[in-house]
């Protein structure tokens, strides 16, 4: 957020982004969307994800980063 806008998010902006992150992660975990397609554009992830993140988490952060 700060890299793009050169400021910290307001409370309302942070709340909206956090809500979006949680919503998207649930959608990926419930298999409503294919997280691998969001992360890599294919049915499989081209590169390995960090061990601390699931494909659903990585895809949810990708969606939020695109906002």
């Amino acid at each position: 957020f700060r890299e793009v806008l050169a400021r910290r998010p307001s409370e309302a902006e942070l709340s909206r982004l956090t809500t979006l992150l949680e919503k998207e992660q649930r959608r990926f975990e419930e298999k409503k969307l294919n997280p691998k397609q969001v992360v890599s554009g294919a049915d499989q992830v081209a590169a390995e994800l960090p061990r601390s993140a699931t494909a659903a988490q990585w895809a949810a952060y990708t969606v939020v980063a695109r906002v």
Side-chain angles (χ1 to χ4, degrees):
F1 194 96
R2 286 176 34 191
E3 291 290 323
V4 175
L5 299 178
R7 64 175 176 83
R8 293 185 183 274
S10 69
E11 288 295 322
E13 291 167 329
L14 184 59
S15 177
R16 286 183 179 171
L17 291 172
T18 302
T19 299
L20 176 62
L21 177 65
E22 292 167 353
K23 176 186 167 193
E24 293 302 316
Q25 187 169 340
R26 276 193 307 274
R27 290 175 68 198
F28 289 115
E29 288 170 348
E30 294 169 356
K31 308 290 188 215
K32 292 180 179 176
L33 297 171
N34 184 347
K36 294 175 183 176
Q37 287 182 329
V38 172
V39 173
S40 68
D43 284 335
Q44 60 186 12
V45 178
E48 284 194 35
L49 298 175
R51 292 180 187 221
S52 61
T54 65
Q57 291 169 325
W58 199 255
Y61 276 102
T62 300
V63 169
V64 171
R66 292 177 178 170
V67 170

